[in-house]
Amino acid sequence: QVQVVESGGGLVQAGGSLRLSCTASGLIFDDYVMGWFRQAPGKEREAVSCISWRGGRTLYADSVKGRFTISRDNAKNTVYLQMNSLKPEDTAMYYCAAALTEVLLGLLVPIEVNYWGQGTQVTVSS
C-alpha cells in the first residue's frame, strides 16, 4: 500500500521560511518524479515545483522561482520544499505528488500524478 505523507506546514510571517517534507512508502521512490502542488481556497490546484528521478533536474513555477528550492533524498524516500521569502499569496494547502512518468518535459500536471499526499497547510501572514 502506497502512502505519501507531508509535514512541515504552519503559520509564518511574510518574509519568513518553512521547509516542507514528504515521505513516500510502498513504492520504488526513484522510479517517480516528485512534485509539489498547492491549492488556495476558490482556486485551482497549481504546480509549484518538481524534481526528476535522481534530482538532476528541477523545475519551478514562475511565482516561486528564486524563493523555493526542491530537493530529494532517495535513501530516505523523501522530497523537500524549502520555501524562503514567503508572501501572503503563498498561503495554500500544499500537496506532495508522485508521478510514474518516463519523461519530464515540464511541471507536472494533475493527470500525471499517481499518488497524492493529504496536504499540509501553509499560512503566511502580512
Side-chain angles (χ1 to χ4, degrees):
Q1 181 179 357
V2 175
Q3 287 191 311
V4 178
V5 180
E6 304 99 333
S7 62
L11 173 64
V12 65
Q13 288 189 329
S17 298
L18 283 174
R19 188 174 86 151
L20 305 183
S21 300
C22 166
T23 299
S25 59
L27 50 71
I28 301 173
F29 189 70
D30 56 1
D31 280 353
Y32 287 78
V33 170
M34 299 299 295
W36 290 94
F37 288 73
R38 67 186 181 187
Q39 188 167 19
K43 293 189 176 182
E44 291 188 357
R45 190 169 295 193
E46 63 172 351
V48 174
S49 181
C50 62
I51 187 167
S52 61
W53 306 265
R54 285 163 181 77
R57 187 178 179 203
T58 57
L59 296 167
Y60 299 93
D62 287 344
S63 58
V64 306
K65 210 169 284 184
R67 300 188 298 121
F68 291 11
T69 303
I70 191 170
S71 60
R72 66 189 293 164
D73 184 341
N74 286 357
K76 296 181 178 179
N77 280 21
T78 299
V79 61
Y80 305 97
L81 186 68
Q82 177 67 43
M83 304 186 296
N84 298 330
S85 302
L86 282 161
K87 304 175 181 180
E89 51 262 45
D90 294 318
T91 295
M93 186 73 77
Y94 282 70
Y95 296 91
C96 182
L100 187 65
T101 178
E102 294 182 356
V103 178
L104 181 59
L105 297 177
L107 286 169
L108 293 175
V109 293
I111 196 172
E112 294 181 290
V113 176
N114 297 91
Y115 301 104
W116 294 96
Q118 81 288 350
T120 186
Q121 179 67 38
V122 172
T123 303
V124 184
S125 63
S126 56

